[in-house]
Amino acid sequence: MRADVPGPSAGGVEAVSAPKNTLAQRLARMGLVRGWDFLLHLPLRYVDETRIVPILSLQPGAPAQVEGEIAAVQVSVRKRRQLLVRLRDEGGELLLRWLHFYASQQAQLTPGRRVRALGQVRSGPMGIEMMHPQIRLVDDALPLPDRLTPVYPASEGVSQAWLRRRIGKALQDTDMTDIVPAELRRALGLIDLGAALRLLHQPPSGLDAAALEAQQTPAWRRLQFEELLAQQLALRQARARRRHVGATPLSGNGRLTEALRKALPFSLTADQCKVWQEIEGDLSATVPMNRLLQGDVGSGKTIVAALAAARAIEAGHQAALMAPTEILADQHFQRISQLLQPLGVRLVWLAGRSRETQRRAALADIASGTAELVVGTHALIQESVRFARLGLAIVDEQHRFGVEQRLALRQGQNAPHLLMLSATPIPRSLAMTYLADLDVSVIQTLPPGRRAVRTKLISGARREQVLEAIRREVAAGRQAYWVCPLVEENDEIEAMAAVRMVAETRAMLPDLRIGLLHGQMSAAEKRAAMAGFAARDIDVLVATTVVEVGIDVPNASLMVIEHAQRFGLATLHQLRGRVGRGSAQSTCVLLFDEPLSELARARLRVLYETNDGFEIARCDLRLRGPGEFLGARQWGLPMLRFADLERDASWLETVRQSADRLLHDDPPAAQAMIQRWYAGAAQYLGA
Ligand code: ADP
Ligand code: MG
C-alpha cells in the first residue's frame, strides 16, 4: 500500500507553501511546473478511505480500512525480524505485519491506542492479516474523508500528501475553460473538462475505485480525447512551420547515383527501388523532404541512404549522415567510403572524440564546402558546425527528441531535406494519416538469400549447450556475439560486468580468440575491436548492447544473449538482427534465468515465434499495456499518457477533422490547448 509514514495527517488544512528549490527541481524533472502540469498529473489508482468495515467482514484479496484498538504489540525475530500488531474491534481481531519498520513507527503503536489501518487483506499463517498497512492514529473524532484518495505517480522526495494538496490548489486556481467546441462535445458525448478533472482527482465517495482505475469512465474518456486532440494540434503546428521554409530541389544528372548502382555487387531489391523512387521525388521538390525510411533490421537501408547522399552531391550540395553511436557512425563511414570514394566523393569524419587538429580541419572543410559528405555522431549538430550548402541530412536509427528540428532550424532560409532511417516500426497507416508531419517509405522484403534466424530459449543453467554451440560455429569458420546482461542502464557498471565476463569466457573457451566491446572503451579501442571482429581475428565478441544498432558483420552466425528477460523486445529483436546477414543459417540463443515470470515468458515467446519486427512491436505494445506506444515514443512525438492510438483508433479521424476545424476557426484556442498540454514539458525538455 502507500508509502506514507504513519502520522495524524488526515483532513487538516495546511497552507501550501512555496516549494523549496530542490523540491522545485524534482518536480520539474517530473514535468510538473505549471498549474496545468499538475492538473494533468492524473492518479494511478485510488484508495477508499471513506468507509470503515468491521474486521469480521474482511475478505482476503481486497483492500479495506478497519478501525480498532491495539491489543498487543510484538517484535518477532523468528525467521526474520518483524513487527506484529494485533488490532481489535467490536467483532474481531486482525494481525498487522511489518517486515520493514522504523523505531518511530513502532513507538506510536502502543497497546490501547485507537488506530485506523488501511491495506490489502490477505490470509496469513495466523489467520487474516494486513502487510504494511497504512496507519492513522485516531485521537479524537477523526472524520472520514468524503472522497476517494488518489494515488499519484510520485518520485523520491515528492510525497503523495504534498501532491494532493498542490493538485487541490491547481483545481481551484487554474482556468479550466473547455476548449473543445460545445457542439463537438455534444456529438461525441464528452463531459466538461473541468468536471472531468475534478472527478478524476477528487472522486466522491461511493464511486467504484476499480472502475476508475480501468480508465474507461466518461471522465477518463474526456481526458483521452483531449490529449489526442492536443497531440494532433501540435503535430499540425510543426508541419505548418516546416511548410513555411523552402528547400533547394536536388535533381542530379545521375553522374554519381548511376555509377553507384553499377558498382554494387548486387542489384537493388524491388522494395529498395520503390523507396529510392519515393525519395528521389521528394528530393527534387522545393519543400524539404521529411521522410522516414522504415525497414526491418538487415533490409538494406544503408545503400538507399548512400544513393540519397550521392544525389545531393551530384546536385552540387553537401550531405550529412548522423548516427547515434560512434561505432555505428564509424561503420557507416567505412562502408560508404568504400562505395563513394572510388567515385571521387570527398568524405569527412566528425565525432565527439575526434582529435582537436582533425576536428578543426573537418570543420574548415565542412564550412568551405570541400567536404561533400560528412559522417559522424551528434557532434554534427553542434553550434560550431557550419555547412557551406547542406542539401540533405540523414539520421540513422535516431530516437532522440527534437534532433531533426534542430538540424532543420540551423539552416536559416532554406532547410535541408531530411531522411530518417529506422528499424523501429510505426504502423504504416498510422504514421501516414495520423502523424501528419511525416512521409513514410517501407522496405518490406529482405534481400534475397537470407535465411530466417532460428531462435532458441535456453535456461541459464544449461550453459554448456551454449559453449558447445559456439565451438561448433567457430569450427565451421563462423563467429559469435555474446551479449552481457543489461545492468540498469548504467554504462559504467555494465562495462565492468563485460570486463568480468570476457575473463570468464576466456577461461571457458581457452582455444578461441575472445574480443571485448563496451560503451566505456575509447573510440579507438572500439574501432579496433570491431575491425578485429570484421577481419575474423576475433571468434567471439563479448559485448554490451552497444552492438545493438546497425553493426554489420555477415560472417557472424550466432548471437547469445545473457539474462534475456531483462531486455526490451525491441532491443532483443535488434540484437538478433546482427546475425542472419550472410548466407549461413544463423541462430540466436536467449539465455533466461529461472524462475521466469508469466509475463517474461510471454515476452520471450514472442521472439521465439516471429522474426517480423512489426509483429513484435504489436505484441510488445499489447504486453506492456496502454500508454506505452513504442514507436511514437521513440520518435519523440508528443507522447501519449492517457490515450492509446490502438484502443482509441475509432476517434482518430474525428480528431484529425476537429484539429483542422479548430485551427481554422479559432487559432488562439488551438494554441491554448497546445500550451496546456505541452508547454511545461517542452520547457523542461529544452525542445
Ligand atoms: P539495415 O541498415 O537496413 O539494417 P544494411 O543496410 O546494413 O541493413 O544491409 C544489410 C546487409 O544486406 C548488408 O550487408 C548489405 O550489403 C546487404 N544488402 C543490402 N541490399 C542488398 C541487396 N539488394 N541484395 C543483397 N544484399 C544486400
Ligand atoms: Mg542500418
Side-chain angles (χ1 to χ4, degrees), residues 19-34 37-38 41 155-158 162-163 166 678-686:
K20 281 198 290 283
N21 195 27
T22 51
L23 177 59
Q25 281 166 353
R26 267 181 243 134
L27 291 169
R29 248 176 277 131
M30 295 167 69
L32 300 177
V33 179
R34 313 155 308 149
D37 302 332
F38 285 99
H41 195 64
S155 75
E156 216 173 309
V158 181
W162 191 89
L163 276 174
R166 179 63 187 84
Y678 299 116
Q683 203 176 340
Y684 163 61
L685 289 167

PDB file of all heavy atoms in Angstrom, residues 19-34 37-38 41 155-158 162-163 166 678-686:
ATOM      1  N   PRO A  19       7.389  25.658  -2.837  1.00  0.00           N
ATOM      2  CA  PRO A  19       8.343  24.552  -2.759  1.00  0.00           C
ATOM      3  C   PRO A  19       9.776  25.061  -2.659  1.00  0.00           C
ATOM      4  O   PRO A  19      10.122  26.072  -3.247  1.00  0.00           O
ATOM      5  CB  PRO A  19       8.127  23.810  -4.075  1.00  0.00           C
ATOM      6  CG  PRO A  19       7.393  24.729  -4.964  1.00  0.00           C
ATOM      7  CD  PRO A  19       6.665  25.692  -4.091  1.00  0.00           C
ATOM      8  N   LYS A  20      10.565  24.361  -1.892  1.00  0.00           N
ATOM      9  CA  LYS A  20      11.980  24.712  -1.804  1.00  0.00           C
ATOM     10  C   LYS A  20      12.637  24.435  -3.146  1.00  0.00           C
ATOM     11  O   LYS A  20      12.121  23.707  -3.965  1.00  0.00           O
ATOM     12  CB  LYS A  20      12.657  23.872  -0.725  1.00  0.00           C
ATOM     13  CG  LYS A  20      12.385  24.390   0.668  1.00  0.00           C
ATOM     14  CD  LYS A  20      13.387  23.849   1.672  1.00  0.00           C
ATOM     15  CE  LYS A  20      13.222  22.384   1.951  1.00  0.00           C
ATOM     16  NZ  LYS A  20      12.184  21.929   2.789  1.00  0.00           N
ATOM     17  N   ASN A  21      13.779  25.000  -3.320  1.00  0.00           N
ATOM     18  CA  ASN A  21      14.450  24.870  -4.593  1.00  0.00           C
ATOM     19  C   ASN A  21      14.618  23.422  -5.038  1.00  0.00           C
ATOM     20  O   ASN A  21      14.294  23.045  -6.155  1.00  0.00           O
ATOM     21  CB  ASN A  21      15.804  25.562  -4.523  1.00  0.00           C
ATOM     22  CG  ASN A  21      16.359  25.760  -5.910  1.00  0.00           C
ATOM     23  OD1 ASN A  21      15.565  25.847  -6.858  1.00  0.00           O
ATOM     24  ND2 ASN A  21      17.652  25.800  -6.038  1.00  0.00           N
ATOM     25  N   THR A  22      15.083  22.588  -4.143  1.00  0.00           N
ATOM     26  CA  THR A  22      15.314  21.202  -4.523  1.00  0.00           C
ATOM     27  C   THR A  22      14.006  20.511  -4.895  1.00  0.00           C
ATOM     28  O   THR A  22      13.969  19.729  -5.825  1.00  0.00           O
ATOM     29  CB  THR A  22      15.960  20.428  -3.366  1.00  0.00           C
ATOM     30  OG1 THR A  22      15.174  20.654  -2.210  1.00  0.00           O
ATOM     31  CG2 THR A  22      17.380  20.870  -3.146  1.00  0.00           C
ATOM     32  N   LEU A  23      12.949  20.824  -4.167  1.00  0.00           N
ATOM     33  CA  LEU A  23      11.656  20.232  -4.494  1.00  0.00           C
ATOM     34  C   LEU A  23      11.232  20.682  -5.892  1.00  0.00           C
ATOM     35  O   LEU A  23      10.773  19.883  -6.703  1.00  0.00           O
ATOM     36  CB  LEU A  23      10.618  20.626  -3.452  1.00  0.00           C
ATOM     37  CG  LEU A  23       9.193  20.122  -3.721  1.00  0.00           C
ATOM     38  CD1 LEU A  23       9.157  18.610  -3.815  1.00  0.00           C
ATOM     39  CD2 LEU A  23       8.233  20.617  -2.645  1.00  0.00           C
ATOM     40  N   ALA A  24      11.403  21.980  -6.158  1.00  0.00           N
ATOM     41  CA  ALA A  24      11.030  22.501  -7.474  1.00  0.00           C
ATOM     42  C   ALA A  24      11.792  21.768  -8.576  1.00  0.00           C
ATOM     43  O   ALA A  24      11.235  21.442  -9.620  1.00  0.00           O
ATOM     44  CB  ALA A  24      11.319  24.001  -7.547  1.00  0.00           C
ATOM     45  N   GLN A  25      13.046  21.482  -8.303  1.00  0.00           N
ATOM     46  CA  GLN A  25      13.836  20.774  -9.311  1.00  0.00           C
ATOM     47  C   GLN A  25      13.319  19.358  -9.519  1.00  0.00           C
ATOM     48  O   GLN A  25      13.183  18.881 -10.636  1.00  0.00           O
ATOM     49  CB  GLN A  25      15.306  20.719  -8.895  1.00  0.00           C
ATOM     50  CG  GLN A  25      16.021  22.017  -9.178  1.00  0.00           C
ATOM     51  CD  GLN A  25      17.365  22.092  -8.481  1.00  0.00           C
ATOM     52  OE1 GLN A  25      17.708  21.225  -7.674  1.00  0.00           O
ATOM     53  NE2 GLN A  25      18.113  23.129  -8.791  1.00  0.00           N
ATOM     54  N   ARG A  26      13.025  18.713  -8.393  1.00  0.00           N
ATOM     55  CA  ARG A  26      12.489  17.357  -8.511  1.00  0.00           C
ATOM     56  C   ARG A  26      11.179  17.366  -9.285  1.00  0.00           C
ATOM     57  O   ARG A  26      10.925  16.507 -10.121  1.00  0.00           O
ATOM     58  CB  ARG A  26      12.238  16.784  -7.119  1.00  0.00           C
ATOM     59  CG  ARG A  26      13.424  16.002  -6.611  1.00  0.00           C
ATOM     60  CD  ARG A  26      13.124  15.439  -5.247  1.00  0.00           C
ATOM     61  NE  ARG A  26      14.018  16.008  -4.283  1.00  0.00           N
ATOM     62  CZ  ARG A  26      13.681  16.493  -3.102  1.00  0.00           C
ATOM     63  NH1 ARG A  26      12.418  16.475  -2.711  1.00  0.00           N
ATOM     64  NH2 ARG A  26      14.564  16.994  -2.301  1.00  0.00           N
ATOM     65  N   LEU A  27      10.357  18.358  -9.000  1.00  0.00           N
ATOM     66  CA  LEU A  27       9.070  18.439  -9.691  1.00  0.00           C
ATOM     67  C   LEU A  27       9.279  18.685 -11.176  1.00  0.00           C
ATOM     68  O   LEU A  27       8.611  18.093 -12.019  1.00  0.00           O
ATOM     69  CB  LEU A  27       8.225  19.558  -9.084  1.00  0.00           C
ATOM     70  CG  LEU A  27       7.729  19.282  -7.665  1.00  0.00           C
ATOM     71  CD1 LEU A  27       7.148  20.549  -7.051  1.00  0.00           C
ATOM     72  CD2 LEU A  27       6.680  18.173  -7.672  1.00  0.00           C
ATOM     73  N   ALA A  28      10.227  19.572 -11.494  1.00  0.00           N
ATOM     74  CA  ALA A  28      10.479  19.876 -12.903  1.00  0.00           C
ATOM     75  C   ALA A  28      10.898  18.625 -13.644  1.00  0.00           C
ATOM     76  O   ALA A  28      10.522  18.397 -14.792  1.00  0.00           O
ATOM     77  CB  ALA A  28      11.552  20.952 -13.030  1.00  0.00           C
ATOM     78  N   ARG A  29      11.691  17.796 -12.951  1.00  0.00           N
ATOM     79  CA  ARG A  29      12.100  16.550 -13.587  1.00  0.00           C
ATOM     80  C   ARG A  29      10.904  15.653 -13.889  1.00  0.00           C
ATOM     81  O   ARG A  29      10.917  14.861 -14.815  1.00  0.00           O
ATOM     82  CB  ARG A  29      13.106  15.809 -12.699  1.00  0.00           C
ATOM     83  CG  ARG A  29      14.502  15.782 -13.317  1.00  0.00           C
ATOM     84  CD  ARG A  29      15.498  15.137 -12.395  1.00  0.00           C
ATOM     85  NE  ARG A  29      15.999  16.087 -11.414  1.00  0.00           N
ATOM     86  CZ  ARG A  29      16.073  15.859 -10.106  1.00  0.00           C
ATOM     87  NH1 ARG A  29      15.678  14.714  -9.605  1.00  0.00           N
ATOM     88  NH2 ARG A  29      16.544  16.775  -9.291  1.00  0.00           N
ATOM     89  N   MET A  30       9.864  15.781 -13.066  1.00  0.00           N
ATOM     90  CA  MET A  30       8.651  15.006 -13.331  1.00  0.00           C
ATOM     91  C   MET A  30       7.748  15.721 -14.332  1.00  0.00           C
ATOM     92  O   MET A  30       6.651  15.263 -14.631  1.00  0.00           O
ATOM     93  CB  MET A  30       7.868  14.791 -12.028  1.00  0.00           C
ATOM     94  CG  MET A  30       8.596  13.930 -11.004  1.00  0.00           C
ATOM     95  SD  MET A  30       7.782  14.039  -9.374  1.00  0.00           S
ATOM     96  CE  MET A  30       6.234  13.167  -9.705  1.00  0.00           C
ATOM     97  N   GLY A  31       8.192  16.883 -14.812  1.00  0.00           N
ATOM     98  CA  GLY A  31       7.383  17.642 -15.761  1.00  0.00           C
ATOM     99  C   GLY A  31       6.312  18.469 -15.077  1.00  0.00           C
ATOM    100  O   GLY A  31       5.343  18.889 -15.695  1.00  0.00           O
ATOM    101  N   LEU A  32       6.473  18.694 -13.773  1.00  0.00           N
ATOM    102  CA  LEU A  32       5.447  19.421 -13.023  1.00  0.00           C
ATOM    103  C   LEU A  32       5.938  20.828 -12.710  1.00  0.00           C
ATOM    104  O   LEU A  32       6.739  21.026 -11.803  1.00  0.00           O
ATOM    105  CB  LEU A  32       5.116  18.678 -11.727  1.00  0.00           C
ATOM    106  CG  LEU A  32       4.577  17.261 -11.917  1.00  0.00           C
ATOM    107  CD1 LEU A  32       4.355  16.578 -10.572  1.00  0.00           C
ATOM    108  CD2 LEU A  32       3.276  17.300 -12.700  1.00  0.00           C
ATOM    109  N   VAL A  33       5.441  21.787 -13.485  1.00  0.00           N
ATOM    110  CA  VAL A  33       5.871  23.160 -13.288  1.00  0.00           C
ATOM    111  C   VAL A  33       4.667  24.073 -13.122  1.00  0.00           C
ATOM    112  O   VAL A  33       4.500  24.732 -12.108  1.00  0.00           O
ATOM    113  CB  VAL A  33       6.735  23.643 -14.481  1.00  0.00           C
ATOM    114  CG1 VAL A  33       7.169  25.094 -14.283  1.00  0.00           C
ATOM    115  CG2 VAL A  33       7.953  22.742 -14.657  1.00  0.00           C
ATOM    116  N   ARG A  34       3.775  24.066 -14.103  1.00  0.00           N
ATOM    117  CA  ARG A  34       2.646  24.987 -14.078  1.00  0.00           C
ATOM    118  C   ARG A  34       1.400  24.279 -13.546  1.00  0.00           C
ATOM    119  O   ARG A  34       1.349  23.054 -13.453  1.00  0.00           O
ATOM    120  CB  ARG A  34       2.351  25.491 -15.490  1.00  0.00           C
ATOM    121  CG  ARG A  34       3.565  25.951 -16.263  1.00  0.00           C
ATOM    122  CD  ARG A  34       3.281  25.818 -17.752  1.00  0.00           C
ATOM    123  NE  ARG A  34       2.814  24.475 -18.071  1.00  0.00           N
ATOM    124  CZ  ARG A  34       1.970  24.187 -19.046  1.00  0.00           C
ATOM    125  NH1 ARG A  34       1.495  25.138 -19.802  1.00  0.00           N
ATOM    126  NH2 ARG A  34       1.599  22.943 -19.261  1.00  0.00           N
ATOM    127  N   ASP A  37       0.280  21.423 -15.560  1.00  0.00           N
ATOM    128  CA  ASP A  37       1.066  20.195 -15.420  1.00  0.00           C
ATOM    129  C   ASP A  37       0.517  19.364 -14.266  1.00  0.00           C
ATOM    130  O   ASP A  37       0.429  18.139 -14.342  1.00  0.00           O
ATOM    131  CB  ASP A  37       2.542  20.514 -15.158  1.00  0.00           C
ATOM    132  CG  ASP A  37       3.142  21.351 -16.268  1.00  0.00           C
ATOM    133  OD1 ASP A  37       2.667  21.250 -17.411  1.00  0.00           O
ATOM    134  OD2 ASP A  37       4.090  22.111 -15.988  1.00  0.00           O
ATOM    135  N   PHE A  38       0.165  20.055 -13.185  1.00  0.00           N
ATOM    136  CA  PHE A  38      -0.372  19.337 -12.026  1.00  0.00           C
ATOM    137  C   PHE A  38      -1.759  18.772 -12.326  1.00  0.00           C
ATOM    138  O   PHE A  38      -2.070  17.642 -11.967  1.00  0.00           O
ATOM    139  CB  PHE A  38      -0.406  20.248 -10.798  1.00  0.00           C
ATOM    140  CG  PHE A  38       0.953  20.461 -10.204  1.00  0.00           C
ATOM    141  CD1 PHE A  38       1.682  21.610 -10.487  1.00  0.00           C
ATOM    142  CD2 PHE A  38       1.521  19.498  -9.388  1.00  0.00           C
ATOM    143  CE1 PHE A  38       2.946  21.794  -9.957  1.00  0.00           C
ATOM    144  CE2 PHE A  38       2.792  19.669  -8.851  1.00  0.00           C
ATOM    145  CZ  PHE A  38       3.502  20.830  -9.138  1.00  0.00           C
ATOM    146  N   HIS A  41      -1.522  15.661 -14.154  1.00  0.00           N
ATOM    147  CA  HIS A  41      -0.842  14.570 -13.454  1.00  0.00           C
ATOM    148  C   HIS A  41      -1.941  13.731 -12.812  1.00  0.00           C
ATOM    149  O   HIS A  41      -2.350  13.966 -11.687  1.00  0.00           O
ATOM    150  CB  HIS A  41       0.085  15.180 -12.399  1.00  0.00           C
ATOM    151  CG  HIS A  41       1.095  14.208 -11.865  1.00  0.00           C
ATOM    152  ND1 HIS A  41       2.067  13.640 -12.630  1.00  0.00           N
ATOM    153  CD2 HIS A  41       1.268  13.714 -10.622  1.00  0.00           C
ATOM    154  CE1 HIS A  41       2.806  12.843 -11.883  1.00  0.00           C
ATOM    155  NE2 HIS A  41       2.337  12.859 -10.666  1.00  0.00           N
ATOM    156  N   SER A 155       7.787  10.538  -6.999  1.00  0.00           N
ATOM    157  CA  SER A 155       9.173  10.098  -7.011  1.00  0.00           C
ATOM    158  C   SER A 155       9.749  10.439  -5.660  1.00  0.00           C
ATOM    159  O   SER A 155       9.098  11.071  -4.837  1.00  0.00           O
ATOM    160  CB  SER A 155       9.961  10.772  -8.130  1.00  0.00           C
ATOM    161  OG  SER A 155      10.236  12.106  -7.774  1.00  0.00           O
ATOM    162  N   GLU A 156      10.955  10.027  -5.429  1.00  0.00           N
ATOM    163  CA  GLU A 156      11.566  10.244  -4.133  1.00  0.00           C
ATOM    164  C   GLU A 156      11.557  11.734  -3.794  1.00  0.00           C
ATOM    165  O   GLU A 156      11.879  12.570  -4.629  1.00  0.00           O
ATOM    166  CB  GLU A 156      13.004   9.742  -4.164  1.00  0.00           C
ATOM    167  CG  GLU A 156      13.422   9.118  -2.867  1.00  0.00           C
ATOM    168  CD  GLU A 156      14.788   8.480  -3.014  1.00  0.00           C
ATOM    169  OE1 GLU A 156      14.971   7.708  -3.971  1.00  0.00           O
ATOM    170  OE2 GLU A 156      15.642   8.776  -2.181  1.00  0.00           O
ATOM    171  N   GLY A 157      11.166  12.048  -2.597  1.00  0.00           N
ATOM    172  CA  GLY A 157      11.190  13.435  -2.170  1.00  0.00           C
ATOM    173  C   GLY A 157       9.956  14.228  -2.553  1.00  0.00           C
ATOM    174  O   GLY A 157       9.853  15.407  -2.252  1.00  0.00           O
ATOM    175  N   VAL A 158       9.018  13.601  -3.243  1.00  0.00           N
ATOM    176  CA  VAL A 158       7.747  14.275  -3.530  1.00  0.00           C
ATOM    177  C   VAL A 158       6.649  13.364  -2.992  1.00  0.00           C
ATOM    178  O   VAL A 158       6.375  12.326  -3.564  1.00  0.00           O
ATOM    179  CB  VAL A 158       7.554  14.493  -5.050  1.00  0.00           C
ATOM    180  CG1 VAL A 158       6.242  15.219  -5.313  1.00  0.00           C
ATOM    181  CG2 VAL A 158       8.725  15.265  -5.633  1.00  0.00           C
ATOM    182  N   TRP A 162       1.819  15.836  -0.338  1.00  0.00           N
ATOM    183  CA  TRP A 162       2.155  17.126  -0.932  1.00  0.00           C
ATOM    184  C   TRP A 162       1.496  17.267  -2.302  1.00  0.00           C
ATOM    185  O   TRP A 162       0.900  18.284  -2.641  1.00  0.00           O
ATOM    186  CB  TRP A 162       3.680  17.271  -1.073  1.00  0.00           C
ATOM    187  CG  TRP A 162       4.064  18.683  -1.427  1.00  0.00           C
ATOM    188  CD1 TRP A 162       4.333  19.694  -0.555  1.00  0.00           C
ATOM    189  CD2 TRP A 162       4.159  19.230  -2.753  1.00  0.00           C
ATOM    190  NE1 TRP A 162       4.593  20.852  -1.252  1.00  0.00           N
ATOM    191  CE2 TRP A 162       4.493  20.594  -2.599  1.00  0.00           C
ATOM    192  CE3 TRP A 162       3.986  18.701  -4.034  1.00  0.00           C
ATOM    193  CZ2 TRP A 162       4.669  21.443  -3.693  1.00  0.00           C
ATOM    194  CZ3 TRP A 162       4.150  19.549  -5.125  1.00  0.00           C
ATOM    195  CH2 TRP A 162       4.490  20.901  -4.950  1.00  0.00           C
ATOM    196  N   LEU A 163       1.571  16.216  -3.111  1.00  0.00           N
ATOM    197  CA  LEU A 163       0.967  16.260  -4.443  1.00  0.00           C
ATOM    198  C   LEU A 163      -0.540  16.509  -4.356  1.00  0.00           C
ATOM    199  O   LEU A 163      -1.092  17.297  -5.110  1.00  0.00           O
ATOM    200  CB  LEU A 163       1.218  14.939  -5.179  1.00  0.00           C
ATOM    201  CG  LEU A 163       2.556  14.815  -5.906  1.00  0.00           C
ATOM    202  CD1 LEU A 163       2.727  13.404  -6.457  1.00  0.00           C
ATOM    203  CD2 LEU A 163       2.657  15.839  -7.041  1.00  0.00           C
ATOM    204  N   ARG A 166      -1.126  20.134  -3.565  1.00  0.00           N
ATOM    205  CA  ARG A 166      -0.756  21.014  -4.670  1.00  0.00           C
ATOM    206  C   ARG A 166      -1.752  20.897  -5.819  1.00  0.00           C
ATOM    207  O   ARG A 166      -2.131  21.883  -6.446  1.00  0.00           O
ATOM    208  CB  ARG A 166       0.663  20.669  -5.145  1.00  0.00           C
ATOM    209  CG  ARG A 166       1.166  21.498  -6.313  1.00  0.00           C
ATOM    210  CD  ARG A 166       1.270  22.969  -5.931  1.00  0.00           C
ATOM    211  NE  ARG A 166       1.588  23.831  -7.078  1.00  0.00           N
ATOM    212  CZ  ARG A 166       0.685  24.303  -7.927  1.00  0.00           C
ATOM    213  NH1 ARG A 166      -0.593  23.991  -7.782  1.00  0.00           N
ATOM    214  NH2 ARG A 166       1.058  25.083  -8.923  1.00  0.00           N
ATOM    215  N   TYR A 678       1.574  20.842 -23.577  1.00  0.00           N
ATOM    216  CA  TYR A 678       2.983  20.633 -23.885  1.00  0.00           C
ATOM    217  C   TYR A 678       3.961  21.699 -23.440  1.00  0.00           C
ATOM    218  O   TYR A 678       5.155  21.445 -23.423  1.00  0.00           O
ATOM    219  CB  TYR A 678       3.162  20.411 -25.391  1.00  0.00           C
ATOM    220  CG  TYR A 678       2.413  19.212 -25.860  1.00  0.00           C
ATOM    221  CD1 TYR A 678       1.368  19.332 -26.767  1.00  0.00           C
ATOM    222  CD2 TYR A 678       2.723  17.952 -25.361  1.00  0.00           C
ATOM    223  CE1 TYR A 678       0.649  18.219 -27.176  1.00  0.00           C
ATOM    224  CE2 TYR A 678       2.013  16.836 -25.757  1.00  0.00           C
ATOM    225  CZ  TYR A 678       0.980  16.973 -26.662  1.00  0.00           C
ATOM    226  OH  TYR A 678       0.272  15.872 -27.043  1.00  0.00           O
ATOM    227  N   ALA A 679       3.482  22.880 -23.079  1.00  0.00           N
ATOM    228  CA  ALA A 679       4.437  23.954 -22.821  1.00  0.00           C
ATOM    229  C   ALA A 679       5.371  23.627 -21.671  1.00  0.00           C
ATOM    230  O   ALA A 679       6.578  23.815 -21.759  1.00  0.00           O
ATOM    231  CB  ALA A 679       3.702  25.260 -22.550  1.00  0.00           C
ATOM    232  N   GLY A 680       4.810  23.095 -20.589  1.00  0.00           N
ATOM    233  CA  GLY A 680       5.645  22.811 -19.421  1.00  0.00           C
ATOM    234  C   GLY A 680       6.721  21.790 -19.735  1.00  0.00           C
ATOM    235  O   GLY A 680       7.899  21.999 -19.492  1.00  0.00           O
ATOM    236  N   ALA A 681       6.303  20.707 -20.351  1.00  0.00           N
ATOM    237  CA  ALA A 681       7.235  19.635 -20.658  1.00  0.00           C
ATOM    238  C   ALA A 681       8.268  20.105 -21.673  1.00  0.00           C
ATOM    239  O   ALA A 681       9.453  19.793 -21.561  1.00  0.00           O
ATOM    240  CB  ALA A 681       6.480  18.424 -21.203  1.00  0.00           C
ATOM    241  N   ALA A 682       7.823  20.883 -22.658  1.00  0.00           N
ATOM    242  CA  ALA A 682       8.742  21.341 -23.703  1.00  0.00           C
ATOM    243  C   ALA A 682       9.849  22.173 -23.081  1.00  0.00           C
ATOM    244  O   ALA A 682      11.024  22.036 -23.414  1.00  0.00           O
ATOM    245  CB  ALA A 682       7.992  22.162 -24.740  1.00  0.00           C
ATOM    246  N   GLN A 683       9.450  23.012 -22.136  1.00  0.00           N
ATOM    247  CA  GLN A 683      10.404  23.857 -21.439  1.00  0.00           C
ATOM    248  C   GLN A 683      11.451  22.970 -20.756  1.00  0.00           C
ATOM    249  O   GLN A 683      12.642  23.175 -20.852  1.00  0.00           O
ATOM    250  CB  GLN A 683       9.623  24.594 -20.368  1.00  0.00           C
ATOM    251  CG  GLN A 683      10.210  25.869 -19.891  1.00  0.00           C
ATOM    252  CD  GLN A 683       9.222  26.468 -18.897  1.00  0.00           C
ATOM    253  OE1 GLN A 683       8.049  26.141 -18.871  1.00  0.00           O
ATOM    254  NE2 GLN A 683       9.725  27.335 -18.067  1.00  0.00           N
ATOM    255  N   TYR A 684      10.945  21.929 -20.123  1.00  0.00           N
ATOM    256  CA  TYR A 684      11.837  21.056 -19.391  1.00  0.00           C
ATOM    257  C   TYR A 684      12.761  20.285 -20.331  1.00  0.00           C
ATOM    258  O   TYR A 684      13.940  20.117 -20.084  1.00  0.00           O
ATOM    259  CB  TYR A 684      11.007  20.090 -18.537  1.00  0.00           C
ATOM    260  CG  TYR A 684      11.791  18.914 -18.084  1.00  0.00           C
ATOM    261  CD1 TYR A 684      12.914  19.103 -17.275  1.00  0.00           C
ATOM    262  CD2 TYR A 684      11.465  17.638 -18.474  1.00  0.00           C
ATOM    263  CE1 TYR A 684      13.667  18.026 -16.866  1.00  0.00           C
ATOM    264  CE2 TYR A 684      12.209  16.568 -18.073  1.00  0.00           C
ATOM    265  CZ  TYR A 684      13.311  16.763 -17.270  1.00  0.00           C
ATOM    266  OH  TYR A 684      14.057  15.698 -16.900  1.00  0.00           O
ATOM    267  N   LEU A 685      12.198  19.832 -21.449  1.00  0.00           N
ATOM    268  CA  LEU A 685      12.993  19.045 -22.383  1.00  0.00           C
ATOM    269  C   LEU A 685      13.933  19.913 -23.213  1.00  0.00           C
ATOM    270  O   LEU A 685      14.763  19.406 -23.943  1.00  0.00           O
ATOM    271  CB  LEU A 685      12.081  18.269 -23.340  1.00  0.00           C
ATOM    272  CG  LEU A 685      11.316  17.112 -22.720  1.00  0.00           C
ATOM    273  CD1 LEU A 685      10.226  16.626 -23.649  1.00  0.00           C
ATOM    274  CD2 LEU A 685      12.260  15.974 -22.391  1.00  0.00           C
ATOM    275  N   GLY A 686      13.766  21.207 -23.105  1.00  0.00           N
ATOM    276  CA  GLY A 686      14.626  22.102 -23.860  1.00  0.00           C
ATOM    277  C   GLY A 686      14.351  22.039 -25.346  1.00  0.00           C
ATOM    278  O   GLY A 686      15.215  22.313 -26.163  1.00  0.00           O
TER     279      GLY A 686
END
